[in-house]
Amino acid sequence: MTVRAYVGLGANLGDGPATLRAVAAELAALPGVQACEVSPFYRTAPFEADGPDFTNAVAALDTTLTPLALLDALQGLETRHGRERPYRNAPRTLDLDLLLHGDTVMDTPRLTLPHPRMQQRAFVLAPLHDLAPGLQLSSGSVAALLRAAADQAIERL
């Protein structure tokens, strides 16, 4: 069965826009992904972290991959792009977060869906709104949540 999944993309080391363009093509080429649409890119300051500004986007995937299989594929892409995890919220060459996987709700040590903090972060909500302006999350519409995060600096590239 094909589901719509949303993936947050971010990078703040190296050439973030180039990395996200490359990853968009790699996501589209993953086995089990039938379609991939990527939002416009945004520049944001690190959230609860230090380091250079991030380039952020969201990808909408039509996929037959299960949530954990998609997570494995995302982590493989992060590794191939040089992602290191020396400490929590360290600067990164690539950060891929599975935000939503259809209507899946799960809470395991490896994966929580929907992503537990996406509803508070403009760097997720703005590109998600570009792709799915009418999307409803458990705490409200993406549009309303984005308005509530208006105090977070974000610049469309």
Side-chain angles (χ1 to χ4, degrees):
M1 177 169 93
T2 301
V3 300
R4 172 62 54 108
Y6 292 95
V7 178
L9 288 67
N12 74 335
L13 292 178
D15 185 339
T19 298
L20 296 192
R21 283 191 295 276
V23 167
E26 293 172 51
L27 287 168
L30 285 174
V33 172
Q34 283 84 40
C36 175
E37 179 183 3
V38 178
S39 73
F41 293 170
Y42 289 84
R43 179 180 13 259
T44 60
F47 193 86
E48 299 176 350
D50 295 321
D53 285 351
F54 272 89
T55 302
N56 292 103
V58 168
L61 308 177
D62 292 333
T63 183
T64 58
L65 295 171
T66 66
L68 290 175
L70 182 53
L71 179 65
D72 288 341
L74 297 176
Q75 290 177 339
L77 289 173
E78 287 179 334
T79 299
R80 282 196 291 286
H81 282 271
R83 169 77 187 261
E84 296 179 359
R85 300 171 193 271
Y87 55 90
R88 191 176 195 283
N89 293 332
R92 56 209 77 160
T93 55
L94 180 62
D95 185 25
L96 299 174
D97 289 324
L98 184 52
L99 304 171
L100 297 164
H101 187 279
D103 294 328
T104 302
V105 175
M106 65 187 292
D107 188 0
T108 70
R110 281 200 68 210
L111 180 62
T112 300
L113 288 173
H115 189 286
R117 293 169 303 281
M118 67 182 241
Q119 300 176 27
Q120 302 141 0
R121 296 179 172 172
F123 68 84
V124 171
L125 295 168
L128 186 58
H129 184 265
D130 289 330
L131 294 173
L135 186 64
Q136 291 290 320
L137 302 175
S138 62
S139 60
S141 71
V142 169
L145 293 166
L146 180 57
R147 285 191 300 275
D151 62 330
Q152 297 174 32
I154 183 166
E155 176 189 357
R156 187 170 173 166
L157 299 177

